[in-house]
Amino acid sequence: MARIDLQRRFDWDTFVTRYWNQRPVLYQATGINPFMDTDVFDAALGASRGAMEPPTALEARTDVQFTIDQGQPVQLGPWLPRDTDGSLDGYDSRLADALGTRRYALIISLLHSHGFGLWSRERAFFSDLWRRVGLPLSGGITTLFHGNYEHSPVGVHLDRFTTFLFAIRGRKRMRFWAKRPWSMPVTTLVDYAPYLAKSFTAEVGPGDILYWPASYYHVGESASRDVATSVNVGIPVTGHQARYDVEDLVGPGHSNAPRTRDTVRGRALVPGVLDGDGVLPRELPAALRQAANTLRENSRDARTQAHIRTLWLNRRSAGGLEPPPPPARRRPLKDTDILHGNKSFPILLEKTGTGWCCSANGNALHVSGLRQPVNKLVATLNTARTVSVGELLHPFPSRGDLPLRALKPLPATRAGMRRMLEILLTFRAIQLAGR
């Protein structure tokens, strides 16, 4: 029977050579777990707020799943983290009072997109892996598993992800099969008791890191009735579909395609396309007309090439973890404000079409004008030294009070570059000194 390798010291070079896409390994108490309780709770709060939005709202998300004894409650609200909980411990205490002996599972996908602290530390951790194996094709997936559930609601399954499990609180068990243990034509199995003899397990506790390749069937189990918390990071290595790239290029995420209430998470909603007899009308519905117009616009060579470059820059600056957390609220900058950038994760600047694309932390903005002064401003920020807004803006001309909202890309003027700095601040690519 297969057994899992145990290691005490985590080293990326050794990991890539011995284990990456080869076999599972458990690193015990390494002390390098990038996920902190406070960051996990903050991201879970952000995801919960999105889950409570009306389905038609732009902020609505479907990243949250909650089960009680394998069943899903009709209303999620009472069971999700709240600000008043204050922490994961407070959340657990409230649910214990409400559920008694019943078991529950809180599962949040795309966890990294809901909290900047968690996202930034996770990006820093995996940047060393990307230097060795390259960025993932379609971005890593970060999933929170929290609760005292008996086993994962989906049961035994196979992912298209090679996976890292970071144990945060409590203890849990992962059960593996080197190949599919059943012969029935199903992809998941909840009742897997008949196949336990062919499995092997790894029990993880706080601070442990468990890794397994995408080829292993697996299921998560509780090691006790206590609440356990873990974060899984799945990196796609198989089954990448071309439609993911097509959605990037022609979906509402395109820089020239407006995001409306007719779109949710990059997919167009086209209700009422067919009439009662299942026949298409003579005139395209508004949503399909918009999609056709978007495809037509995106097919222009210069615009398509610029958009592809923007997508790639965003993927690089996001560090393989997309989508990034939403930008912060914009605030005006004075000439006396002191800024600094991040040397470890610099702002990227490249030519796209007739202007320049500036990408940081998975977000982009566009600038027009001569490259030299813009490049010098970005290079200064990337040194991470403190510098005043006035010093950064000094080389740029002042051309009156232009209506910047109507200008896209931003002009390389003093007003345009001030707006650029304000936007980079919302991206958290630069910071105000002392904050």
Side-chain angles (χ1 to χ4, degrees):
M1 181 184 299
R3 297 180 62 183
I4 195 158
D5 283 5
L6 298 178
Q7 297 288 344
R8 295 283 183 180
R9 179 177 175 272
F10 189 91
D11 172 78
W12 279 117
D13 288 328
T14 303
F15 168 79
V16 170
T17 301
R18 294 183 184 177
Y19 302 110
W20 176 249
N21 291 328
Q22 297 178 62
R23 62 184 190 271
V25 57
L26 173 60
Y27 292 93
Q28 294 181 315
T30 61
I32 61 168
N33 192 325
F35 297 103
M36 303 171 59
D37 286 25
T38 52
D39 288 341
V40 171
F41 180 71
D42 178 65
L45 276 179
S48 298
R49 295 186 191 108
M52 296 307 298
E53 293 287 343
T56 55
L58 295 182
E59 299 83 4
R61 303 292 293 262
T62 57
D63 303 335
V64 180
Q65 178 185 358
F66 189 88
T67 62
I68 302 175
D69 288 340
Q70 303 298 319
Q72 295 187 353
V74 176
Q75 298 294 331
L76 284 178
W79 312 110
L80 300 185
R82 303 171 181 169
D83 290 281
T84 53
D85 293 329
S87 65
L88 288 173
D89 286 334
Y91 173 61
D92 295 341
S93 179
R94 176 166 62 84
L95 288 197
D97 292 340
L99 294 174
T101 59
R102 290 180 292 173
R103 292 179 178 243
Y104 71 92
L106 172 67
I107 301 174
I108 302 177
S109 58
L110 290 178
L111 184 72
H112 63 253
S113 68
H114 297 287
F116 184 78
L118 181 142
W119 179 86
S120 60
R121 271 183 269 273
E122 181 180 354
R123 178 183 61 162
F125 179 83
F126 280 103
S127 64
D128 286 331
L129 177 61
W130 309 148
R131 293 188 187 101
R132 292 163 171 82
V133 302
L135 282 171
L137 288 173
S138 53
I141 304 296
T142 311
T143 307
L144 170 68
F145 291 90
H146 178 83
N148 59 356
Y149 52 92
E150 188 172 358
H151 59 73
S152 303
V154 71
V156 182
H157 60 287
L158 187 72
D159 293 324
R160 68 180 183 90
F161 305 97
T162 187
T163 302
F164 291 83
L165 182 156
F166 299 87
I168 313 297
R169 300 160 72 245
R171 301 195 67 82
K172 70 185 304 181
R173 180 187 307 112
M174 291 299 301
R175 187 175 297 276
F176 298 101
W177 290 260
K179 59 182 181 179
R180 191 173 72 172
W182 64 83
S183 59
M184 300 87 74
V186 295
T187 57
T188 64
L189 195 67
V190 175
D191 182 12
Y192 54 90
Y195 310 102
L196 292 178
K198 296 182 179 180
S199 68
F200 63 99
T201 62
E203 189 168 312
V204 297
D208 292 350
I209 301 174
L210 175 64
Y211 166 81
W212 66 90
S215 58
Y216 280 73
Y217 282 80
H218 59 277
V219 63
E221 301 174 341
S222 289
S224 68
R225 294 191 66 91
D226 296 332
V227 175
T229 308
S230 62
V231 175
N232 287 16
V233 178
I235 302 166
V237 293
T238 62
H240 180 77
Q241 300 180 28
R243 70 179 177 86
Y244 302 142
D245 299 317
V246 173
E247 286 174 358
D248 276 348
L249 291 174
V250 302
H254 189 284
S255 58
N256 298 303
R259 180 173 173 83
T260 71
R261 293 183 184 276
D262 293 325
T263 63
V264 173
R265 298 192 64 188
R267 292 178 173 80
L269 302 178
V270 193
V273 172
L274 304 177
D275 63 20
D277 296 323
V279 178
L280 282 170
R282 288 181 177 273
E283 184 178 0
L284 283 175
L288 283 183
R289 285 202 307 275
Q290 177 182 314
N293 290 336
T294 299
L295 178 60
R296 189 178 297 112
E297 290 295 314
N298 293 355
S299 298
R300 297 178 180 175
D301 289 343
R303 187 170 297 180
T304 299
Q305 291 303 312
H307 180 55
I308 290 173
R309 175 54 57 185
T310 299
L311 286 173
W312 174 237
L313 287 178
N314 281 348
R315 181 147 298 167
R316 284 173 55 196
S317 68
L321 296 168
E322 300 173 89
R329 184 172 299 176
R330 190 171 68 86
R331 53 151 292 173
L333 286 174
K334 306 185 297 292
D335 284 356
T336 54
D337 285 330
I338 306 298
L339 303 172
H340 67 86
N342 185 340
K343 187 183 295 186
S344 298
F345 295 97
I347 301 164
L348 305 180
L349 181 70
E350 288 197 18
K351 185 173 178 59
T352 56
T354 59
W356 308 96
C357 177
C358 182
S359 179
N361 289 348
N363 298 280
L365 59 87
H366 293 84
V367 180
S368 64
L370 296 175
R371 179 175 185 177
Q372 184 174 356
V374 176
N375 188 63
K376 183 177 180 181
L377 181 150
V378 170
T380 299
L381 291 172
N382 285 342
T383 64
R385 74 175 179 87
T386 56
V387 58
S388 71
V389 171
E391 180 182 342
L392 290 169
L393 298 183
H394 179 72
F396 297 94
S398 176
R399 297 178 182 171
D401 295 326
L402 296 177
L404 289 179
R405 288 185 179 180
L407 294 176
K408 186 180 179 181
L410 292 170
T413 63
R414 194 163 299 173
M417 293 300 96
R418 188 184 302 274
R419 178 65 59 85
M420 173 181 167
L421 292 174
E422 290 171 353
I423 294 174
L424 288 174
L425 193 63
T426 72
F427 294 168
R428 304 177 181 87
I430 57 177
Q431 295 180 7
L432 286 165
R435 298 193 181 186

